[in-house]
Amino acid sequence: MVLSKKKSIIDFYRMKQEGKQVAWITAYDYPTASFGEAAGMDMLLVGDSLGMCTLGYKSTVPVTMDDCISHCQAVRRGAPNTWIIGDMPFMSYQSSDQGAVENAGRFLKEADTDCIKLEGGVRVASRIRSITNAGIPVMGHIGLTPQSSGQLGGHKAQGRDVANARAVIKDALAVEEAGAFSILVEAVPPEVTAFIARKLKIPVYSIGAGPCDGQLLISADLLGQFQSFTPKFVKKYANMAEIATKAFEEYIKDVREGKFPTDDHVYHIVEPEQEFEKMFREFN
Ligand code: KIV
């Protein structure tokens, strides 16, 4: 177990300057958050990927503000000493700057998160500016942005040709200019990510975008819990689906064969058996 002080924006800037990598994952519940903190994660993202990874939706689109708040609260209880990012769900910031500020504020007031993350570059610059003006730290998210994957033609890597890479770089510059403290780049070629990480003063983190200032993985991918699909950029460190299914199968077999529970799994009476038999007879 790694016990360390909760990191802040100052630590993340220092780590970039010193070339130290930030390692982080998503967490949606108390146990994952507590394991992440015990392992020494630098930060935890309560991503709207919770829609697919824990609620069983086909995409992140149906996830609500209330879903995000309740999962952020669980994660905060599990990881009281870790920097936590609340992810703004679809339609919680798209309509107006004012709506975006109000919803961003809910993450800090109701769930004690340290910052929020939202998707988009040039087109959400005014949202980022308004939220940071309200004193709330913002992490940007560019490249493949799952909430608008319909407009991108699906969950496709971005910035693979020069014109699209230029657009990704313009998004990165707009996010920094708008006041974000860091930026997450998703599914972009490493050449483009490396350029962005060199160009920006704020830390640049990657999910499927190659080396830069730190790496994010979806915990359900890393642990082998999410079964529907596995993106190319995922490294699986465990196969929890297999481990859990095997354990459940063994339990079913034990129950059916009378091997569970044994004497080890029961609470014995604390008065003589005859007294109990007398009492049982009262019901005859
Ligand atoms: O919701 C999430 O987990 C995310 C990642 C895909 C970056 O935003």
Side-chain angles (χ1 to χ4, degrees), residues 5 20 29 34-35 54-55 80-81 100 102-103 109 117 124 131 141 178 189 205 234 236 239-240 246 252 281:
K5 195 174 122 298
K20 288 194 179 136
D29 54 30
S34 64
F35 303 150
T54 72
L55 300 178
N81 295 313
E102 283 165 5
N103 281 320
K109 280 177 85 80
K117 171 173 90 57
V124 296
I131 298 169
H141 178 175
Y205 303 126
V234 168
K236 264 194 195 182
N239 194 337
M240 290 300 290
K246 233 190 215 149
I252 293 168
R281 279 200 292 279

Side-chain angles (χ1 to χ4, degrees), residues 5-209:
K5 195 174 122 298
K6 182 174 161 186
K7 291 192 172 67
S8 72
I9 286 180
I10 295 167
D11 296 301
F12 300 129
Y13 277 94
R14 187 181 39 77
M15 287 173 82
K16 176 174 174 109
Q17 278 156 12
E18 292 174 357
K20 288 194 179 136
Q21 290 290 304
V22 169
W24 50 304
I25 54 166
T26 61
Y28 316 109
D29 54 30
Y30 176 91
T32 312
S34 64
F35 303 150
E37 180 162 300
M41 288 294 167
D42 294 304
M43 45 173 114
L44 294 171
L45 166 66
V46 187
D48 63 351
S49 52
L50 72 88
M52 289 131 93
C53 298
T54 72
L55 300 178
Y57 294 136
K58 282 206 290 280
S59 76
T60 58
V61 168
V63 175
T64 65
M65 270 302 296
D66 287 345
D67 291 331
C68 290
I69 295 292
S70 127
H71 284 270
C72 282
Q73 288 168 337
V75 168
R76 171 54 81 210
R77 287 190 286 269
N81 295 313
T82 304
W83 180 270
I84 292 176
I85 304 145
D87 202 11
M88 296 197 68
F90 184 57
M91 291 318 291
S92 67
Y93 61 95
Q94 279 84 352
S95 305
S96 67
D97 287 353
Q98 190 188 333
V101 173
E102 283 165 5
N103 281 320
R106 283 192 64 192
F107 280 94
L108 274 68
K109 280 177 85 80
E110 296 175 37
D112 192 22
T113 69
D114 296 290
C115 71
I116 61 91
K117 171 173 90 57
L118 53 77
E119 296 183 7
V122 173
R123 68 180 174 183
V124 296
S126 79
R127 306 288 188 271
I128 296 174
R129 172 61 62 207
S130 302
I131 298 169
T132 54
N133 280 347
I136 299 168
V138 175
M139 175 184 282
H141 178 175
I142 60 162
L144 169 53
T145 45
Q147 289 173 14
S148 47
S149 60
Q151 278 183 328
L152 304 175
H155 284 79
K156 288 193 160 54
Q158 300 296 304
R160 298 183 80 182
D161 60 48
V162 170
N164 193 230
R166 184 180 293 113
V168 172
I169 292 165
K170 282 184 178 170
D171 276 341
L173 294 170
V175 167
E176 180 172 67
E177 166 67 23
F181 81 94
S182 66
I183 188 164
L184 174 66
V185 182
E186 177 165 355
V188 161
E191 297 82 355
V192 179
T193 309
F195 176 79
I196 293 171
R198 280 196 307 274
K199 183 95 187 129
L200 299 193
K201 288 189 189 66
I202 60 175
V204 176
Y205 303 126
S206 150
I207 176 161

